[in-house]
Amino acid sequence: MTIGARPPSAISAAAKPVFWYGIPHGYAKLDLNPPRERIEKLAGELNMLPAEQRAQASQVLQFYAGVIRALNAQNVHMCAVGYHPDDDGTIVTSTLTISTVSTSGHNAKLVIAGLAGTAADHPNCGMRPLKLPCGLGYLVEEKKRTVAPGRDPDSPEGPLRGDVWQGTVAATGSGTPDIILVQMVTPALHLADVYRDILLGVAHTLTFTDPTQPAPELGEPSMNSAEAAMRNDFG
């Protein structure tokens, strides 16, 4: 499935996307701009639940709202959660996001080229350059310890923490002055190689050419061209 993304300043749903990308199998998109009617309907259904269930559902709804606010504040265009079976029969999860970062007046292509050059000159810095169909980019991957959802961070026991693998591809193109970040995060450290391949697969679908538009028609070659000569020779 190919999806188009609009610039952060475009508040109209009719605004034309400036880049497009594909979402792999097994990922479900979050609605980053849920209509007010849907929220009101959820709130109404929540109020009809028994007191204990209402409290639990309210926490989930508040968590969802907080996630949406945080994603929108960071210019995230798409967020999808992946659910895939592991070899032991359990389900592993991952989060795929696509966002844009302003270069604050600098040329985004030059920024990407400079960082990709740094990655090529210093292969041990955790970065490596990429040649994508849309142009030059680079990959950064790291393992980090982070706060996990599931417990109130203000509780006496403190927040839950866990290790995750995080991979990020940065690229840009003529359709936008911003840098585009394609990021994958998963707690399944043993599947880092698999999720790296998924991340790179998504990055390779990134395009600044509208895939829904028909391919341009090739014009008739001039009579002096090599193509015209071949047509004459072979009928």
Side-chain angles (χ1 to χ4, degrees), residues 109 131-137 171-174 203-208:
K109 286 187 176 181
K131 289 185 177 180
L132 301 171
C134 67
L136 188 64
T172 192
S174 58
H204 276 75
T205 69
L206 186 64
T207 178
F208 298 92

Side-chain angles (χ1 to χ4, degrees), residues 1-233:
M1 178 172 58
T2 301
I3 297 176
R6 302 174 180 84
S9 59
I11 58 176
S12 171
K16 183 179 178 180
V18 296
F19 62 91
W20 291 259
Y21 52 87
I23 296 181
H25 177 72
Y27 283 83
K29 284 179 56 184
L30 294 181
D31 188 349
L32 300 182
N33 294 286
R36 181 176 178 179
E37 294 77 11
R38 183 184 303 172
I39 300 299
E40 292 176 346
K41 182 179 179 181
L42 284 174
E45 294 175 350
L46 187 151
N47 290 330
M48 297 174 62
L49 294 174
E52 182 177 350
Q53 295 181 8
R54 185 165 63 246
Q56 296 176 345
S58 177
Q59 290 180 355
V60 173
L61 185 58
Q62 290 177 13
F63 176 73
Y64 172 69
V67 169
I68 295 301
R69 285 194 298 269
L71 293 175
N72 286 326
Q74 298 182 28
N75 288 334
V76 174
H77 297 266
M78 189 280 300
C79 178
V81 179
Y83 297 90
H84 298 93
D86 201 352
D87 292 337
D88 60 2
T90 60
I91 297 296
V92 293
T93 62
S94 59
T95 303
L96 172 67
T97 59
I98 296 181
S99 58
T100 52
V101 176
S102 172
T103 56
S104 301
H106 298 284
N107 187 303
K109 286 187 176 181
L110 293 180
V111 173
I112 291 291
L115 291 172
T118 299
D121 295 337
H122 302 84
N124 297 323
C125 69
M127 298 171 55
R128 63 182 172 99
L130 295 175
K131 289 185 177 180
L132 301 171
C134 67
L136 188 64
Y138 65 87
L139 167 69
V140 181
E141 55 182 307
E142 58 182 326
K143 295 177 182 178
K144 55 172 44 174
R145 191 161 185 79
T146 185
V147 175
R151 182 187 296 165
D152 184 352
D154 297 327
S155 69
E157 299 177 348
L160 290 172
R161 295 185 179 275
D163 296 324
V164 298
W165 174 87
Q166 176 178 296
T168 304
V169 171
T172 192
S174 58
T176 175
D178 300 325
I179 293 175
I180 299 170
L181 299 180
V182 184
Q183 189 173 81
M184 179 79 73
V185 179
T186 178
L189 302 182
H190 62 294
L191 295 176
D193 292 343
V194 174
Y195 282 108
R196 183 191 307 110
D197 289 343
I198 296 175
L199 172 65
L200 293 175
V202 175
H204 276 75
T205 69
L206 186 64
T207 178
F208 298 92
T209 302
D210 188 348
T212 65
Q213 296 297 316
E217 296 183 3
L218 298 177
E220 286 295 321
S222 65
M223 294 308 295
N224 295 325
S225 70
E227 185 176 349
M230 291 178 64
R231 287 189 180 183
N232 290 334
D233 290 341

